[in-house]
């Protein structure tokens, strides 16, 4: 019985020692494996975050650029419609104002399809007549403004301009109270090789204020 008991005790001791050694041997490797897993998880979470930020910046920049292009296209579309109606012809060869506007539109990267669409729309009977309106206003510090607007609805245009000026603490001025301080100027470009002195004398005789030789 003593032998049996001692053998049983030895077996229990060996079993306990085995489990103890197993537990101790696994203890150092456990934190390392957890740390490596956490690092991998952090890398996996950070990568999409940086990619998403870059994509958001690109999307915001693209939306601003697209909005600016759309605004330019709309402005030239209205100007082309007005030029066709005022000039009485949709042919650029017979309508000098239309030809100049088409050149300006192409220089500002307006698509040819938009230009043709505006010319075609101007020829339709139900297209509104766009007209230019001029407003005079005062801003902060008494700064004077001349506001030029192109619209097919004069009543709505007047209401929108007044509302915008009032919201920004401005004031619509009486007609002629601001315009007398400004002179309307034009620009003449001569794409030719000519003598500088002859050009200067001709410009001075015509009352030119400034000349630049490109």
């Amino acid at each position: 019985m003593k032998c049996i008991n001692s053998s049983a005790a030895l077996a229990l001791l060996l079993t306990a020692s085995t489990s103890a050694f197993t537990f101790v041997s696994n203890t150092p490797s456990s934190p390392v494996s957890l740390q490596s897993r956490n690092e991998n998880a952090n890398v996996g979470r950070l990568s999409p975050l940086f990619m998403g930020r870059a994509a958001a910046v690109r999307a915001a920049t693209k939306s601003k650029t697209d909005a600016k292009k759309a605004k330019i296209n709309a402005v030239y579309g209205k100007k082309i419609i007005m030029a066709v109606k005022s000039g009485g012809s949709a042919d650029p060869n017979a309508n000098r104002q239309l030809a100049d506007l088409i050149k300006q539109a192409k220089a500002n990267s307006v698509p040819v399809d938009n230009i043709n669409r505006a010319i075609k729309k101007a020829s339709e009977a139900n297209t509104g007549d766009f007209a230019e309106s001029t407003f005079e206003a005062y801003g902060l510090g008494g700064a004077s403004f001349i506001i030029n607007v192109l619209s097919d609805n004069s009543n709505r245009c007047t209401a929108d301009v007044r509302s915008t000026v009032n919201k920004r603490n401005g004031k619509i001025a009486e007609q002629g109270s601001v315009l007398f301080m400004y002179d309307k100027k034009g620009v003449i470009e001569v794409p030719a090789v000519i003598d500088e002195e002859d050009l200067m004398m001709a410009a001075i005789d015509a009352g030119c204020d400034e000349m630049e030789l490109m």
Side-chain angles (χ1 to χ4, degrees):
M1 292 296 294
K2 291 182 180 179
C3 182
I4 295 173
N5 290 335
S6 60
S7 300
L10 182 60
L12 291 173
L13 180 61
L14 290 175
T15 305
S17 61
T18 304
S19 63
F21 284 121
T22 305
F23 177 77
V24 172
S25 63
N26 287 337
T27 301
S29 62
S30 179
V32 175
S33 62
L34 289 176
Q35 184 178 2
S36 61
R37 289 178 182 177
N38 290 335
E39 290 178 354
N40 293 334
N42 290 334
V43 172
R45 285 196 298 268
L46 289 176
S47 297
L49 180 62
F50 288 120
M51 291 177 63
R53 177 60 180 166
V57 171
R58 286 194 297 268
T61 304
K62 186 177 183 301
S63 62
K64 290 181 181 179
T65 305
D66 292 343
K68 187 176 180 180
K69 288 182 179 179
K71 186 177 181 180
I72 293 175
N73 294 345
V75 169
Y76 276 102
K78 293 178 181 179
K79 287 185 176 182
I80 289 173
I81 292 175
M82 189 177 67
V84 172
K85 287 186 171 292
S86 62
S89 175
D91 185 7
N93 297 323
N95 191 339
R96 180 62 182 273
Q97 183 182 2
L98 176 61
D100 293 340
L101 278 173
I102 291 176
K103 289 181 181 179
Q104 294 176 14
K106 289 182 178 179
N108 285 274
S109 302
V110 178
V112 178
D113 292 340
N114 291 25
I115 296 174
N116 296 334
R117 195 181 305 118
I119 294 175
K120 183 179 178 180
K121 186 177 180 181
S123 304
E124 298 176 358
N126 58 351
T127 304
D129 293 331
F130 288 93
E132 285 184 321
S133 301
T134 302
F135 297 89
E136 304 170 47
Y138 289 106
L140 295 176
S144 57
F145 292 92
I146 297 177
I147 305 170
N148 294 320
V149 181
L150 182 64
S151 176
D152 60 344
N153 190 324
S154 59
N155 294 331
R156 181 182 61 194
C157 171
T158 301
D160 289 345
V161 170
R162 288 184 179 275
S163 175
T164 303
V165 172
N166 292 334
K167 286 180 180 179
R168 285 158 178 78
N169 299 324
K171 181 182 178 182
I172 296 293
E174 296 293 332
Q175 188 174 2
S177 60
V178 175
L179 277 174
F180 78 94
M181 294 185 288
Y182 296 89
D183 295 327
K184 191 171 184 179
K185 302 293 183 179
V187 178
I188 300 176
E189 296 182 1
V190 183
V193 180
I194 54 179
D195 185 76
E196 182 179 358
E197 293 184 0
D198 294 341
L199 179 61
M200 183 178 296
M201 293 302 299
I204 293 174
D205 294 339
C208 178
D209 293 334
E210 183 179 355
M211 188 187 74
E212 181 180 2
L213 185 64
M214 303 297 291

